[in-house]
Amino acid sequence: HVNPQIELISTSMTVVPTFSVHFAYVEGTRTAHSDVCDKKMSPVLKHQNRCWFWAKSVDEEQDVTVVFRVPIKLEAISIVFGHAQHADDTLKNGRLEVARQSDHPGDDGEGKCGLFTLLKHINGDRMLAWKIGEKEAEMSIACLRIVTSKAQKQWILIQDISVKARG
C-alpha cells in the first residue's frame, strides 16, 4: 500500500538521539532504505538498513502526531511497536486518536487538527490494527496521533505507522 503524504510528523516524547520520529512514517511505498541512526544502540540494527523511532522517559499525555498534507478518507491504520529484540518497548497504556480538519483553514502544521477523538485503546500490543467497519461512515481526517495515557519506565519503539486511505 501507499502511505498518504504528510505535512509533518512530530513528537512531544524524549527521543533517543538519532532515532527520529521520521523513521516511524514513510510517505509513499516502502523501498530500500539506508537510514542513519546509532546502530550501536541495538545489535539488531547491524543487519538492517532501516531505523525506527525510539523514545525514553515516557510521561503521561505525550504524543506522536501525524498531520496529512490534505485530509484523507481513512480506511485502515496499522502500527508496529517494539521489536523481537526489544519486545518490552511498547506503549503500555495509550490511545490512537484522529481529528478532522480544523475549522480555521488557514492553519498549518498541528494547527490543521481539529478536536481529537478516540479510535482505539493501546495496551502494550506489538501490533495495533484498526479498520473501518461496514456500518461506520466514511471518515475524513486531517491528523492522527498516538498518545500515552500513563507514564512508563519502558522505552517506546515504533517501527512503522501504516495508513490506508480510500481514493
Tab-separated table of all heavy atoms in Angstrom, residues 13-14 55-60 62 91 148 150-156:
chain	number	residue	atom	x	y	z
A	13	MET	N	7.587	13.458	22.925
A	13	MET	CA	8.353	12.495	23.726
A	13	MET	C	9.847	12.824	23.657
A	13	MET	O	10.299	13.503	22.738
A	13	MET	CB	8.121	11.079	23.201
A	13	MET	CG	6.690	10.606	23.326
A	13	MET	SD	6.506	8.922	22.671
A	13	MET	CE	4.713	8.801	22.632
A	14	THR	N	10.597	12.322	24.632
A	14	THR	CA	12.047	12.466	24.634
A	14	THR	C	12.626	11.414	23.698
A	14	THR	O	12.521	10.209	23.951
A	14	THR	CB	12.613	12.276	26.060
A	14	THR	OG1	11.975	13.212	26.930
A	14	THR	CG2	14.117	12.482	26.084
A	55	ALA	N	11.679	6.313	21.881
A	55	ALA	CA	11.502	7.358	22.891
A	55	ALA	C	11.791	6.794	24.270
A	55	ALA	O	11.549	5.616	24.536
A	55	ALA	CB	10.078	7.903	22.846
A	56	LYS	N	12.320	7.651	25.141
A	56	LYS	CA	12.639	7.248	26.511
A	56	LYS	C	12.011	8.249	27.469
A	56	LYS	O	11.479	9.273	27.039
A	56	LYS	CB	14.156	7.196	26.702
A	56	LYS	CG	14.852	8.527	26.429
A	56	LYS	CD	16.355	8.384	26.511
A	56	LYS	CE	17.026	9.723	26.199
A	56	LYS	NZ	18.472	9.644	26.308
A	57	SER	N	12.054	7.943	28.760
A	57	SER	CA	11.487	8.835	29.785
A	57	SER	C	10.067	9.244	29.407
A	57	SER	O	9.752	10.430	29.275
A	57	SER	CB	12.359	10.090	29.965
A	57	SER	OG	13.685	9.743	30.242
A	58	VAL	N	9.221	8.271	29.220
A	58	VAL	CA	7.876	8.498	28.692
A	58	VAL	C	6.925	8.978	29.795
A	58	VAL	O	6.739	8.305	30.797
A	58	VAL	CB	7.328	7.209	28.041
A	58	VAL	CG1	5.939	7.440	27.482
A	58	VAL	CG2	8.283	6.725	26.952
A	59	ASP	N	6.351	10.163	29.585
A	59	ASP	CA	5.417	10.748	30.543
A	59	ASP	C	3.979	10.659	30.033
A	59	ASP	O	3.736	10.450	28.848
A	59	ASP	CB	5.757	12.226	30.791
A	59	ASP	CG	7.011	12.399	31.629
A	59	ASP	OD1	7.267	11.557	32.520
A	59	ASP	OD2	7.744	13.375	31.388
A	60	GLU	N	3.046	10.886	30.936
A	60	GLU	CA	1.624	10.889	30.599
A	60	GLU	C	1.305	12.013	29.612
A	60	GLU	O	1.871	13.105	29.693
A	60	GLU	CB	0.829	11.099	31.894
A	60	GLU	CG	-0.661	11.029	31.736
A	60	GLU	CD	-1.386	11.169	33.070
A	60	GLU	OE1	-0.732	11.160	34.120
A	60	GLU	OE2	-2.613	11.283	33.027
A	62	GLN	N	2.001	12.382	26.468
A	62	GLN	CA	2.929	12.704	25.390
A	62	GLN	C	2.405	12.050	24.114
A	62	GLN	O	1.602	11.127	24.175
A	62	GLN	CB	4.344	12.211	25.712
A	62	GLN	CG	4.997	13.022	26.824
A	62	GLN	CD	6.417	12.584	27.091
A	62	GLN	OE1	6.735	11.407	27.086
A	62	GLN	NE2	7.278	13.553	27.357
A	91	LEU	N	3.938	0.642	23.836
A	91	LEU	CA	3.121	1.595	24.595
A	91	LEU	C	2.170	0.793	25.473
A	91	LEU	O	1.297	0.092	24.976
A	91	LEU	CB	2.360	2.516	23.639
A	91	LEU	CG	1.405	3.534	24.268
A	91	LEU	CD1	2.085	4.351	25.352
A	91	LEU	CD2	0.833	4.437	23.190
A	148	THR	N	0.187	8.778	25.006
A	148	THR	CA	0.407	7.991	26.222
A	148	THR	C	-0.646	8.378	27.255
A	148	THR	O	-0.893	9.559	27.482
A	148	THR	CB	1.811	8.248	26.803
A	148	THR	OG1	1.946	9.641	27.096
A	148	THR	CG2	2.899	7.836	25.819
A	150	LYS	N	-0.510	6.985	30.428
A	150	LYS	CA	0.209	6.927	31.707
A	150	LYS	C	1.703	6.970	31.431
A	150	LYS	O	2.164	6.498	30.392
A	150	LYS	CB	-0.104	5.621	32.452
A	150	LYS	CG	-1.501	5.516	32.986
A	150	LYS	CD	-1.674	4.237	33.784
A	150	LYS	CE	-3.105	4.118	34.299
A	150	LYS	NZ	-3.341	2.828	34.947
A	151	ALA	N	2.450	7.499	32.398
A	151	ALA	CA	3.914	7.459	32.297
A	151	ALA	C	4.357	5.994	32.378
A	151	ALA	O	3.656	5.162	32.957
A	151	ALA	CB	4.539	8.267	33.430
A	152	GLN	N	5.494	5.674	31.772
A	152	GLN	CA	6.017	4.310	31.858
A	152	GLN	C	7.534	4.331	31.864
A	152	GLN	O	8.160	5.230	31.307
A	152	GLN	CB	5.485	3.447	30.708
A	152	GLN	CG	5.942	3.859	29.318
A	152	GLN	CD	5.353	2.966	28.227
A	152	GLN	OE1	4.141	2.791	28.147
A	152	GLN	NE2	6.237	2.399	27.402
A	153	LYS	N	8.112	3.335	32.534
A	153	LYS	CA	9.574	3.224	32.616
A	153	LYS	C	10.166	2.701	31.314
A	153	LYS	O	11.270	3.070	30.930
A	153	LYS	CB	9.971	2.298	33.763
A	153	LYS	CG	9.658	2.876	35.124
A	153	LYS	CD	10.030	1.917	36.224
A	153	LYS	CE	9.632	2.509	37.562
A	153	LYS	NZ	9.730	1.561	38.656
A	154	GLN	N	9.422	1.830	30.624
A	154	GLN	CA	9.922	1.248	29.389
A	154	GLN	C	9.970	2.296	28.287
A	154	GLN	O	9.127	3.177	28.212
A	154	GLN	CB	9.020	0.082	28.899
A	154	GLN	CG	8.939	-1.068	29.844
A	154	GLN	CD	7.872	-0.866	30.923
A	154	GLN	OE1	7.176	0.149	30.986
A	154	GLN	NE2	7.756	-1.834	31.815
A	155	TRP	N	10.947	2.150	27.422
A	155	TRP	CA	11.015	2.999	26.241
A	155	TRP	C	9.894	2.593	25.293
A	155	TRP	O	9.295	1.527	25.442
A	155	TRP	CB	12.355	2.811	25.545
A	155	TRP	CG	13.525	3.378	26.299
A	155	TRP	CD1	13.536	3.863	27.574
A	155	TRP	CD2	14.860	3.494	25.816
A	155	TRP	NE1	14.793	4.284	27.912
A	155	TRP	CE2	15.633	4.061	26.847
A	155	TRP	CE3	15.482	3.182	24.613
A	155	TRP	CZ2	16.993	4.321	26.703
A	155	TRP	CZ3	16.827	3.435	24.478
A	155	TRP	CH2	17.568	4.007	25.512
A	156	ILE	N	9.616	3.446	24.315
A	156	ILE	CA	8.631	3.124	23.272
A	156	ILE	C	9.366	3.089	21.931
A	156	ILE	O	10.063	4.049	21.578
A	156	ILE	CB	7.490	4.154	23.215
A	156	ILE	CG1	6.672	4.112	24.506
A	156	ILE	CG2	6.596	3.907	22.002
A	156	ILE	CD1	5.579	5.171	24.577
